[in-house]
């Protein structure tokens, strides 16, 4: 029986151990997609206690707490932080097989030097240990530096003035904190706050948006601003992938109806969304940016909880979208005119894994290694088996050695241990292929492959 989470945690073969400890373990981190607040980095957020670090905004943990019958007051409510932490500790010990159990203990080891087990009985000991370090000045920036992070890409709206990115750059902080362009609110014509948002976007640019052409002009100006601020990556969070080509005139008519509060058809909305996404994608290609497309999330499934708590509180689910044909249409439209940017594709539905891997293979251009990629296992798939499935499928349908690797997709400054988790799983998978005689025991080649997937590929691909 192996010891719990020892130095060879998840590494089941000698090749896996060699690859992790000699090649992956010390590689820097490029976190090319996360939801960390640039304001919190700029202000070097400090914490009073571990509850604020772990339970503030973490819907992964909130879902487990609710599943354990914990009242909402101890999750998002006003219960004392110490009592919330106790509820979490007592819940965690039931989370066998859940990656959160591993993430939590990796964070305790790497950031707080705690090698024990967190449960209801040890909660007081862990509470005191963590809080002692946090109150010594262990804040947001030190957490980032201690994690060996080189680049962080936050997620930013086109209307954002990026003041906090500017403050960080001027502060001399050694880690690059760059914006990522996320135009979802401009795309989502059907949302109740769309008209309000378009007005705000126009104010940011100093231009009233009355037409689709006005919108494109403003978007071009915002893209140029983001580019000057170091942005090299975008992200589109889509429920369904739209694809209905139409014309700019039809997109203009749909936009004007929405701004006037008039009804519009589903087809009109699809045309508007398609035209705007294609415009953005061409702008990314022109600038050498990477486009990310995340789709397949069914948002706010629990109406009562949404009305009480709002979005992003742990009530989203996996959608069964059937988006491969429209996604292929988008990529093909751009490829026909050689305007397809480097692109990373993510579906929340694991049934789409092989579909995305094959789609990616159909749009490589013979110029950029891994130009179109199936992205890292996302959200509900961000598990040991989910990562293994994504990596195995990538290897079986393409060139795993060109994969750009892991991201945090997190709001927590302690979540960089997810890169360690990923690297251990990666090394174990490749080590097992060597152990089985399915790949030569060529540690020079394998070591380079592991180094590339852990760090070097992302550095080359994004060109930050």
């Amino acid at each position: 029986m192996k010891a719990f989470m020892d130095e060879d945690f998840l590494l089941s073969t000698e090749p896996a151990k060699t690859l992790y400890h000699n090649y992956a373990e010390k590689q820097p981190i490029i976190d090319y997609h996360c939801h960390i607040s640039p304001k919190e980095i700029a202000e070097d957020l400090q914490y009073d206690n571990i509850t604020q670090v772990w339970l503030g905004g973490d819907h992964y943990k909130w879902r487990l707490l609710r599943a354990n019958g914990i009242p909402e007051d101890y999750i998002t409510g006003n219960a004392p932080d110490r009592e919330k932490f106790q509820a979490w500790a007592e819940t965690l010990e039931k989370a066998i097989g859940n990656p959160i159990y591993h993430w939590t203990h990796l964070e305790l080891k790497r950031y707080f030097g705690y090698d024990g087990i967190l449960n209801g009985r040890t909660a007081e000991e862990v509470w005191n240990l963590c809080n002692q370090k946090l109150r010594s000045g262990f804040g947001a920036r030190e957490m980032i530096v201690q994690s060996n992070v080189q680049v962080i890409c936050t997620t930013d709206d086109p209307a954002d003035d990026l003041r906090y990115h500017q403050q960080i750059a001027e502060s001399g902080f050694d880690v690059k904190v760059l914006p990522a362009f996320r135009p979802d609110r401009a795309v989502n014509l059907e949302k109740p706050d769309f008209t309000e948002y378009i007005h705000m976007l126009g104010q940011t640019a100093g231009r009233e948006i009355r037409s689709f052409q006005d919108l494109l002009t403003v978007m071009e100006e915002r893209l140029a601003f983001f580019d000057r601020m170091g942005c090299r990556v975008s992200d589109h969070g889509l429920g369904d992938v739209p694809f209905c080509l139409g014309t700019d005139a039809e997109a203009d008519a749909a936009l004007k109806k929405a701004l006037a509060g008039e009804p519009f058809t589903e087809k009109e909305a699809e045309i508007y969304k398609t035209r705007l996404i294609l415009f953005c994608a061409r702008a990314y290609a022109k600038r050498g940016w990477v486009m990310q497309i995340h789709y397949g999330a069914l948002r706010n499934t629990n109406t009562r909880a949404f009305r009480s708590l709002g979005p992003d509180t742990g009530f989203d689910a996996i959608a069964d979208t059937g988006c491969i044909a429209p996604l292929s249409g988008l990529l093909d439209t751009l490829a026909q005119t050689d305007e397809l940017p480097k692109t990373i594709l993510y579906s929340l539905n694991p049934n789409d894994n092989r579909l995305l891997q094959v789609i990616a293979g159909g749009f490589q251009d013979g110029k950029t290694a891994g130009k179109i990629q199936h992205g890292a296992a996302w959200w509900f798939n961000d598990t040991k088996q989910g990562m293994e499935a994504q990596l195995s499928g990538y290897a079986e349908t393409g060139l795993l050695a060109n994969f750009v690797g892991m991201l945090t997709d997190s709001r927590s400054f302690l979540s960089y241990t997810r890169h360690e988790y990923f690297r251990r799983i990666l090394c174990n998978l490749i080590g097992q292929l060597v152990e089985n005689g399915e790949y030569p025991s060529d540690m020079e080649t394998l070591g380079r492959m592991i180094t590339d997937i852990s760090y070097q590929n992302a550095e080359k691909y994004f060109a930050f």
Side-chain angles (χ1 to χ4, degrees):
M1 182 175 66
K2 296 188 67 173
F4 173 65
M5 291 184 67
D6 63 7
E7 64 176 10
D8 293 328
F9 173 57
L10 298 178
L11 307 172
S12 60
T13 66
E14 289 306 314
K17 295 172 187 177
T18 298
L19 290 172
Y20 179 72
H21 293 300
N22 291 2
Y23 297 99
E25 186 172 14
K26 301 299 182 183
Q27 292 300 314
I29 288 172
I30 293 179
D31 191 17
Y32 56 87
H33 175 68
C34 73
H35 297 278
I36 282 174
S37 164
K39 180 177 185 290
E40 293 177 354
I41 301 174
E43 297 176 352
D44 192 16
L45 179 65
Q46 304 292 308
Y47 301 91
D48 293 327
N49 60 63
I50 188 62
T51 297
Q52 294 175 7
V53 181
W54 267 353
L55 297 177
D58 191 337
H59 55 82
Y60 287 83
K61 294 186 179 74
W62 293 351
R63 287 173 68 96
L64 293 189
L65 285 159
R66 293 183 187 117
N68 200 32
I70 303 298
E72 196 65 35
D73 198 42
Y74 294 86
I75 303 171
T76 61
N78 296 319
D81 283 351
R82 177 63 184 87
E83 294 179 20
K84 287 183 176 181
F85 183 75
Q86 187 69 35
W88 169 241
E90 293 173 3
T91 297
L92 183 66
E93 62 185 274
K94 297 182 178 181
I96 186 169
N98 194 303
I100 295 177
Y101 193 85
H102 295 150
W103 296 346
T104 297
H105 287 94
L106 281 174
E107 290 172 18
L108 286 172
K109 283 174 176 284
R110 302 297 177 243
Y111 295 105
F112 300 100
Y114 183 74
D115 290 321
I117 307 301
L118 174 59
N119 53 40
R121 300 180 301 281
T122 62
E124 181 69 15
E125 174 189 7
V126 175
W127 170 264
N128 291 329
L129 175 71
C130 293
N131 293 348
Q132 182 179 10
K133 183 164 185 179
L134 290 170
R135 290 165 185 166
S136 71
F138 186 54
R141 292 196 178 195
E142 182 56 31
M143 292 175 186
I144 293 169
V145 170
Q146 185 173 315
S147 302
N148 197 21
V149 179
Q150 284 193 351
V151 180
I152 294 172
C153 294
T154 58
T155 302
D156 307 279
D157 190 277
D160 198 303
D161 62 12
L162 305 182
R163 70 178 71 179
Y164 296 112
H165 293 85
Q166 186 68 39
Q167 288 180 22
I168 295 165
E170 293 173 351
S171 72
F173 188 41
D174 287 339
V175 178
K176 284 186 180 179
V177 181
L178 305 176
F181 194 77
R182 177 86 172 230
D184 295 358
R185 294 184 70 190
V187 172
N188 293 330
L189 191 74
E190 75 284 359
K191 296 294 185 182
D193 65 345
F194 176 78
T195 299
E196 178 186 352
Y197 173 74
I198 293 297
H199 178 67
M200 180 181 71
L201 180 61
Q203 284 186 320
T204 299
R207 178 192 300 270
E208 188 173 0
I209 299 174
R210 296 180 175 178
S211 68
F212 190 61
Q213 185 55 54
D214 289 341
L215 176 60
L216 298 187
T217 299
V218 168
M219 292 294 279
E220 178 64 30
E221 292 175 358
R222 301 311 296 166
L223 284 157
F225 171 62
F226 270 62
D227 191 72
R228 292 193 299 272
M229 292 295 292
C231 180
R232 297 294 178 268
V233 61
S234 69
D235 184 39
H236 292 261
L238 306 170
D240 297 330
V241 178
F243 185 67
C244 188
L245 283 175
T247 65
D248 279 357
E250 290 173 301
D252 182 66
L255 175 62
K256 287 176 177 175
K257 286 182 179 181
L259 293 178
E262 298 174 3
F264 49 83
T265 67
E266 183 176 333
K267 180 180 179 181
E268 288 173 321
E270 288 280 298
I271 290 172
Y272 167 84
K273 292 180 178 184
T274 302
R275 303 298 296 185
L276 183 54
I277 291 172
L278 288 172
F279 171 84
C280 289
R282 291 175 175 126
Y284 307 151
K286 181 174 66 177
R287 292 174 169 84
W289 290 11
V290 175
M291 175 170 69
Q292 297 179 97
I293 295 177
H294 287 82
Y295 75 89
L298 184 63
R299 303 285 182 177
N300 307 313
T301 59
N302 185 325
T303 302
R304 181 179 179 184
F306 176 70
R307 289 172 177 167
S308 174
L309 302 172
D312 303 320
T313 50
F315 297 95
D316 298 332
I318 297 172
D320 184 11
T321 58
C323 287
I324 297 302
L327 176 61
S328 177
L330 279 176
L331 299 179
D332 184 52
T333 300
L334 295 163
Q336 286 182 45
T337 54
D338 198 22
E339 295 175 295
L340 177 60
K342 290 180 283 188
T343 302
I344 306 176
L345 305 170
Y346 311 80
S347 173
L348 195 54
N349 193 327
N351 293 329
D352 289 356
N353 280 0
R354 189 55 59 100
L355 301 174
L356 290 182
Q357 288 150 2
V358 173
I359 283 288
F363 289 97
Q364 308 296 355
D365 65 358
K367 302 174 186 176
T368 304
K371 178 177 178 178
I372 313 301
Q373 303 220 356
H374 177 215
W378 172 40
W379 197 348
F380 295 115
N381 305 303
D382 193 2
T383 64
K384 180 175 178 287
Q385 289 188 358
M387 290 183 198
E388 289 171 343
Q390 187 270 342
L391 291 167
S392 295
Y394 201 124
E396 290 173 353
T397 59
L399 295 174
L400 180 60
N402 289 337
F403 181 40
V404 294
M406 188 57 174
L407 48 91
T408 61
D409 191 29
S410 172
R411 293 171 174 80
S412 170
F413 291 103
L414 296 183
S415 62
Y416 290 106
T417 53
R418 295 183 193 180
H419 284 258
E420 176 182 343
Y421 197 59
F422 166 82
R423 291 172 184 180
R424 288 176 178 273
I425 291 167
L426 170 69
C427 291
N428 193 60
L429 185 146
I430 291 179
Q432 192 63 58
L433 293 174
V434 175
E435 188 79 1
N436 292 347
E438 298 178 58
Y439 195 92
S441 183
D442 176 357
M443 285 299 156
E444 181 179 351
T445 299
L446 290 166
R448 183 167 62 250
M449 189 183 302
I450 292 297
T451 300
D452 285 346
I453 297 171
S454 298
Y455 169 68
Q456 297 287 352
N457 286 345
E459 184 182 48
K460 296 172 186 174
Y461 188 79
F462 294 99
F464 294 122

